[in-house]
Amino acid sequence: MTVLACALTALVACQNEEVKVDRSPLPTVAAPPYICEHIPLRAVELMTGVRNPLVRGSFDLTLAGGLGDGSCGVYQREGNRLKVLLINLTPGGDRKVVEEQLEDGAPSLPEILPGVTGYYFKDTGSPTNMAYALLVRGEVEINIQLEIGAAGRDNAADVLALMKLIAPKLLTDASAPSPTPKTPTPKKD
């Protein structure tokens, strides 16, 4: 009976322990292992709180005239296997969408690469810590949708940090802005 009481006490004590959130900053350099060939697993695990997630998708950087196309979905392993993160690379980016969001007060993404514009935000009313980032460069767009972020983390900072990690890997030379042509100097007669 004493052994049973001790075991029950230990079980209750373990269930009442608070789960600690890993508040480590996301890496500043993309390093393996990767999911979907380009997304650092460590960054995904930190921002979602999901260890060893289920992953579906890929990117093909040769499609759409070299602009690239693809997506990467990240899911919980347990329960209903809910989607926690979705990253899309699509041709057809529209700077006007970014400009409208910036005018409405969304924070601007820093210039991660020349010719990019974007925004990010955290859904303050979301019980699942949703955050979003969108980047446009030329005719290509990358968006990050954090559907279920780790509680206790700065989810907006996480999508910003992930964008800094993946944009240089996913944006090809085809999306680079064209160099401004030099105006010829008029010749004097």
Side-chain angles (χ1 to χ4, degrees):
M1 191 65 136
T2 306
V3 172
L4 183 59
C6 289
L8 186 58
T9 303
L11 180 62
V12 171
C14 288
Q15 288 178 347
N16 288 334
E17 284 183 25
E18 187 176 317
V19 175
K20 295 192 179 195
V21 174
D22 188 345
R23 289 192 174 91
S24 303
L26 262 58
T28 56
V29 176
Y34 296 109
I35 60 172
C36 301
E37 301 174 11
H38 300 283
I39 315 300
L41 175 61
R42 175 73 177 139
V44 169
E45 289 178 338
L46 283 170
M47 66 192 296
T48 64
V50 176
R51 301 296 174 249
N52 192 24
L54 294 173
V55 177
R56 302 279 185 271
S58 64
F59 298 97
D60 186 340
L61 303 181
T62 64
L63 292 176
L67 293 175
D69 195 5
S71 66
C72 184
V74 180
Y75 303 84
Q76 297 172 336
R77 280 202 175 274
E78 298 81 30
N80 293 332
R81 298 186 176 188
L82 298 174
K83 183 180 359 169
V84 293
L85 178 67
L86 180 63
I87 301 163
N88 289 305
L89 171 69
T90 55
D94 188 355
R95 294 179 79 89
K96 290 179 186 175
V97 171
V98 173
E99 291 166 5
E100 288 172 4
Q101 291 297 320
L102 294 174
E103 287 173 8
D104 287 344
S108 176
L109 284 175
E111 188 174 66
I112 297 167
L113 292 168
V116 301
T117 185
Y119 65 93
Y120 68 105
F121 65 88
K122 178 185 185 319
D123 184 346
T124 56
S126 168
T128 61
N129 306 306
M130 292 178 72
Y132 185 81
L134 176 82
L135 177 143
V136 173
R137 181 181 186 202
E139 297 176 18
V140 71
E141 165 182 306
I142 300 173
N143 70 57
I144 299 172
Q145 301 169 36
L146 180 61
E147 303 281 333
I148 303 174
R153 291 188 58 87
D154 184 344
N155 307 108
D158 283 349
V159 294
L160 171 60
L162 184 61
M163 187 66 82
K164 288 179 181 180
L165 288 173
I166 67 172
K169 297 176 81 48
L170 294 177
L171 293 175
T172 64
D173 290 341
S175 69
S178 302
T180 308
K182 294 184 179 180
T183 307
T185 308
K187 293 182 180 180
K188 294 184 181 180
D189 290 327

